[in-house]
Amino acid sequence: MASFGWKRKIGEKVSKATSQQFEAEAADDKDLGDDDDANWVLAAKRRKEVLLEDCVRKSKELKDEGANLAENRRYREALVKWDEALQLTPEDATLYEMKSQVLMSLHEMFPAVHAAEMAVQRNPRSWDAWQTLGRAQLGLGEIALAIRSFQVSLHIFPMNPEVWKEDLSWARKLQEQQAATMTGSVQALAKGKELVQESIPDYDFESDEIVAVCAAIAEKEKALSAAKTMVIVSASGAVETVTEQDNCPATPDETLFVRAR
């Protein structure tokens, strides 16, 4: 029976010097790999920064071109430029605010409100974005919302005379007119209901006028009942109207006349 012994390890014959050299080369390769990774990250970061700078620069060019077109009332072309700019810098609140102004000039109020809301979402501290939002809301007839937007704009920039004297003042005037119109409509509706629900007026049936009219009608009926008339048709075809009196009840010979209505 063979005796049991320890198994020889795989690396047992590898010399110590060879092992140390291998470890040193592996460490050098690791350092080179780390340097390559760091360089790649830095290069990617730099390329991203350059790309962002190019996007911002190109977006500014498109924004300026759109502004020039809008000043010349070429609103549709301006919107195209600003939409291209928003593809490059989608967080630019100014582009949305300018877009809202142009849409209001085109009387497209729903898109104007949406664009102004996008501007406010991206820059809640922009007083002109809130002002534009209020004007767009006024265009939709949302007076209460417009007043709130103007108030926020003034809270950010209290010394803005345009919002004080024009926008907010006009919005409050419209609100007063709206309230007065609603009040008049309610009153007219209530008055109409009162007229519909108004009952038949009570008459005094014991008044002298009513008694006199009733007496006159009674006298007329009495006279008609006292004097009765009938139509008599003779055998020869002659027609005669005869009045019967209460004191003269006799009638012509019935053999000669036929009574008719």
Side-chain angles (χ1 to χ4, degrees), residues 202-213:
D202 294 333
Y203 292 100
D204 185 6
F205 292 100
E206 296 182 358
S207 63
D208 296 338
E209 292 82 359
I210 299 298
V211 172
V213 170

Side-chain angles (χ1 to χ4, degrees), residues 230-234 238-242 251-252 256-260:
M230 64 181 68
V231 177
I232 304 299
V233 180
S234 64
V239 179
E240 181 180 358
T241 302
V242 179
T251 59
L256 299 178
F257 296 95
V258 179
R259 180 177 294 185

Side-chain angles (χ1 to χ4, degrees), residues 58 63 72 74 77 101 133 147 152 164 168 199 246:
K58 181 62 176 177
K63 182 194 294 184
N72 294 323
R74 298 165 64 179
E77 298 176 49
Q101 292 189 50
L133 176 59
I147 290 176
V152 174
W164 272 115
L168 187 58
S199 61
D246 291 340

Side-chain angles (χ1 to χ4, degrees), residues 54-214:
D54 291 341
C55 289
V56 172
R57 177 180 54 79
K58 181 62 176 177
S59 176
K60 187 178 184 304
E61 293 177 358
L62 292 170
K63 182 194 294 184
D64 294 339
E65 292 177 8
N68 292 330
L69 291 170
E71 289 178 357
N72 294 323
R73 299 181 182 275
R74 298 165 64 179
Y75 297 132
R76 296 295 179 185
E77 298 176 49
L79 289 175
V80 172
K81 295 293 183 181
W82 290 336
D83 286 336
E84 293 178 3
L86 284 171
Q87 295 294 325
L88 300 172
T89 55
E91 299 301 319
D92 191 342
T94 306
L95 285 170
Y96 285 105
E97 190 271 331
M98 296 168 67
K99 185 176 177 181
S100 178
Q101 292 189 50
V102 167
L103 288 169
M104 281 190 284
S105 299
L106 294 172
H107 303 288
E108 298 181 8
M109 294 305 171
F110 280 104
V113 170
H114 177 69
E117 288 175 345
M118 297 291 285
V120 168
Q121 290 176 6
R122 280 153 178 74
N123 187 7
R125 300 296 302 171
S126 174
W127 64 266
D128 49 351
W130 282 103
Q131 181 187 23
T132 301
L133 176 59
R135 290 178 175 179
Q137 289 168 337
L138 271 185
L140 281 182
E142 298 291 345
I143 301 175
L145 293 177
I147 290 176
R148 179 185 177 277
S149 298
F150 293 143
Q151 289 173 342
V152 174
S153 178
L154 286 172
H155 179 75
I156 298 171
F157 183 25
M159 302 305 294
N160 188 348
E162 184 179 19
V163 179
W164 272 115
K165 297 179 180 179
E166 297 181 12
D167 297 315
L168 187 58
S169 177
W170 173 245
R172 285 177 173 169
K173 184 177 180 180
L174 290 177
Q175 190 179 44
E176 293 174 359
Q177 293 177 354
Q178 185 184 52
T181 302
M182 292 179 63
T183 302
S185 299
V186 171
Q187 291 178 350
L189 181 61
K191 186 176 181 180
K193 289 183 177 180
E194 290 178 359
L195 292 175
V196 172
Q197 297 176 356
E198 185 178 0
S199 61
I200 299 175
D202 294 333
Y203 292 100
D204 185 6
F205 292 100
E206 296 182 358
S207 63
D208 296 338
E209 292 82 359
I210 299 298
V211 172
V213 170
C214 292

Side-chain angles (χ1 to χ4, degrees), residues 29-45:
D29 292 340
K30 182 178 180 181
D31 293 338
L32 291 174
D34 293 340
D35 292 340
D36 290 341
D37 291 341
N39 291 334
W40 181 85
V41 172
L42 291 174
K45 185 178 180 180

